[in-house]
Every structure is written in C-alpha cells, then in structure tokens.
C-alpha cells in the first residue's frame, strides 16, 4: 500500500483527480451508510492499492452521527470543515465531504487551500476563501472547478450533501471529459487526414509535372495546341493519383 501523500506532487489531470476523489467517496459512502463520520479524512489516511483502488484508514476519531456532538474541534486543521470549530454542533457527514474537497484542491493546484500556523489555518477555514485562480498553463475544466467549489462551501447546507451525490457528480464530469477527449482525437484525426491528402496531392502533381517535362525533352510539345497539352496533363495527374492510391492500399 501507499498513501496519498506518496502520490506525485505535480498537478494532476482532471480525470486522475476526479477518479481518486471518487474512490475516496466510495469508501466514505460505506462509512456514512453505517452512520459513522470519519472526521479525519486526509492524504495520509487514504491508502492506494495497485490498480488505483482506495482504502480509508485510521478511524481513531470516527464517531456515530446520531448521538455525538462536537465537544471540541477534532481533526487535522488543513482538512477541517468550518462547522467543526463549532462546539456543541452534532456530527455531520458533510464535514467529510469538505475534507474530500480539500484533497481534490490539493491534487489540482498542488498546494493547500490555506497555509500558515494552526491558528491561521483554522481562522481561514471559517472566514476566508481559497485562491481559485489556476496556475499558468493549467487546463482544468470549468466543470471540475464547479464541483470543487461545491465540495468546499463554507455553509454545509450549500455543500454537496453526501458521498453518493459527490460520486455521481464525479462520474458525470469524468464522462464529459472522456467525451471531450474523444471529440478532440477525432478532430485531430480529421486534420491529419486533410494534411495527408494535401501532401499526396502536392506530391502527385509534382511527379506528374516531372514526367511531363521528361516527355517534352524527347517529344517537343510546343507545337501542340494548349488545350491538348492541358488535357494530357490532366489525364497524367489522374493516372498518377490512381497509381499512388493503389500503392497506399
């Protein structure tokens, strides 16, 4: 096993980031279905197995949602939802959803949403917003950023409400990105075909011209009517195209 900390620190693609976040939420969906909030979702507690399957570890802070309340803030400051700082508030699965958003932010931006001392980070989680400006050269899709913003909403009522809802959002976006890549590949293939046709046409015309020039050396055509010469050249080009196409096949 390796944890998510060992995942490459360079920015991940939309697809890689969304798929990893989706796998995390699949594990969370099982916990939440049993009425348990993890309360410490972070990279070191996400184990990646061969094949990119994911397991969630370290349930030391996990609690049942039905009876427990926050007696004091608990968790890792960088991944704690704003409501986790509210003493006396009931446990809620949406705090785990916020932590998934922080992980997704880290994968996309290759940095944490908030940096500083523990006190500064906790203050920022409640009162500040992350920097959403993408690094130069990044091509992250707007749909991916929309999902990320919803995961990291300060107000839990405006946040994605469950791991199941997050999984569906990830899945829809992955399908959209896959479709975009297919369309892009098709466009590139069509452009390559057009360029190949142009290259073939240019090469064939050049070959026909050279052949015509050689004929003219041995059989002067200056006395032949212009229309006859153009007709002959057209026939020669057509024949060369046919021979070239047969050769390609």
């Amino acid at each position: 096993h390796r944890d998510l900390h060992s995942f490459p620190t360079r920015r991940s693609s939309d697809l890689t980031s969304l798929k990893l976040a989706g796998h995390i939420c699949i594990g969370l969906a099982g916990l939440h279905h049993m009425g348990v909030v993890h309360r410490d979702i972070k990279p070191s507690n996400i184990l990646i197995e061969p094949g990119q399957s994911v397991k969630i570890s370290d349930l030391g802070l996990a609690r049942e949602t039905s009876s427990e309340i926050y007696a004091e803030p608990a968790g890792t400051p960088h991944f704690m939802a704003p409501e986790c700082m509210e003493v006396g508030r009931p446990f809620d699965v949406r705090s785990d959803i916020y932590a998934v958003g922080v992980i997704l932010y880290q994968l996309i931006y290759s940095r944490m949403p908030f940096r500083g001392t523990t006190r500064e980070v906790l203050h920022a989680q409640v009162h500040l917003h992350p920097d959403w400006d993408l690094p130069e050269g990044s091509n992250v899709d707007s749909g991916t950023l929309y999902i990320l913003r919803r995961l990291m909403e300060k107000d839990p009522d405006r946040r994605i409400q469950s791991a199941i809802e997050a999984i569906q959002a990830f899945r829809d976006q992955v399908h959209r990105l896959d479709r975009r890549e297919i369309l892009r590949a098709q466009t590139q293939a069509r452009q390559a075909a057009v360029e190949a046709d142009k290259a073939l046409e240019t090469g064939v015309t050049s070959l026909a011209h050279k052949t015509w020039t050689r004929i003219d050396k041995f059989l002067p055509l200056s006395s032949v009517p212009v229309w006859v010469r153009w007709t002959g050249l057209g026939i020669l080009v057509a024949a060369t195209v046919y021979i070239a196409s047969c050769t390609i096949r």
Side-chain angles (χ1 to χ4, degrees):
H1 302 298
R2 57 176 182 151
D3 63 42
L4 199 55
H5 265 314
S6 64
F7 201 74
T9 54
R10 58 180 171 77
R11 293 192 302 275
S12 303
S13 68
D14 287 38
L15 287 173
T16 300
S17 302
L18 290 168
K19 288 176 181 178
L20 270 173
H23 283 303
I24 295 170
C25 284
I26 289 173
L28 280 178
L31 278 178
H32 295 170
H33 180 71
M34 294 185 291
V36 174
V37 183
H38 188 281
R39 297 208 301 161
D40 199 21
I41 293 296
K42 58 184 178 181
S44 59
N45 287 338
I46 306 299
L47 303 181
I48 303 176
E49 297 186 315
Q52 299 296 313
S53 62
V54 165
K55 285 187 176 179
I56 297 174
S57 67
D58 190 357
L59 299 177
L61 294 178
R63 296 290 186 274
E64 292 184 0
T65 59
S66 58
S67 59
E68 299 288 342
I69 60 173
Y70 291 106
E72 59 183 17
T76 302
H78 285 92
F79 299 89
M80 289 171 61
E83 65 270 18
C84 292
M85 271 64 86
E86 297 181 27
V87 175
R89 183 187 181 96
F91 289 118
D92 193 320
V93 299
R94 293 174 297 183
S95 62
D96 285 346
I97 300 302
Y98 182 91
V100 173
V102 177
I103 291 175
L104 183 58
Y105 185 101
Q106 190 177 13
L107 288 170
I108 290 174
Y109 288 85
S110 192
R111 64 172 186 261
M112 297 302 298
F114 305 112
R115 287 167 286 188
T117 65
T118 297
R119 181 183 294 274
E120 290 170 341
V121 170
L122 291 176
H123 178 270
Q125 295 285 28
V126 176
H127 300 289
L128 304 180
H129 292 281
D131 179 5
W132 298 113
D133 291 336
L134 288 168
E136 185 176 353
S138 176
N139 61 347
V140 176
D141 186 77
S142 59
T144 302
L145 292 181
Y146 174 74
I147 294 172
L148 176 57
R149 285 173 176 266
R150 289 198 61 211
L151 291 168
M152 294 188 65
E153 281 282 1
K154 300 289 187 188
D155 182 354
D157 291 334
R158 299 181 60 186
R159 197 176 302 155
I160 288 178
Q161 298 294 291
S162 69
I164 297 297
E165 184 183 346
I167 291 167
Q168 188 59 56
F170 296 145
R171 185 174 297 155
D172 291 345
Q173 178 65 359
V174 165
H175 288 168
R176 199 172 79 84
L177 292 174
D178 280 339
R179 179 60 180 165
R180 187 182 69 176
E181 290 303 313
I182 290 171
L183 292 175
R184 180 180 299 169
Q186 290 174 340
T187 300
Q188 291 174 344
R190 283 194 294 268
Q191 290 174 343
V194 169
E195 291 173 2
D197 286 343
K198 287 181 179 178
L200 177 61
E201 181 181 347
T202 301
V204 166
T205 302
S206 176
L207 177 60
H209 178 72
K210 290 178 181 178
T211 303
W212 187 260
T213 302
R214 288 174 183 171
I215 291 174
D216 189 52
K217 285 182 179 178
F218 295 100
L219 181 61
L221 300 173
S222 56
S223 60
V224 178
V226 174
W227 71 270
V228 174
R229 277 182 279 169
W230 279 110
T231 302
L233 181 59
I235 294 172
L236 183 58
V237 169
T240 309
V241 169
Y242 176 77
I243 292 171
S245 63
C246 290
T247 302
I248 291 173
R249 291 193 188 99

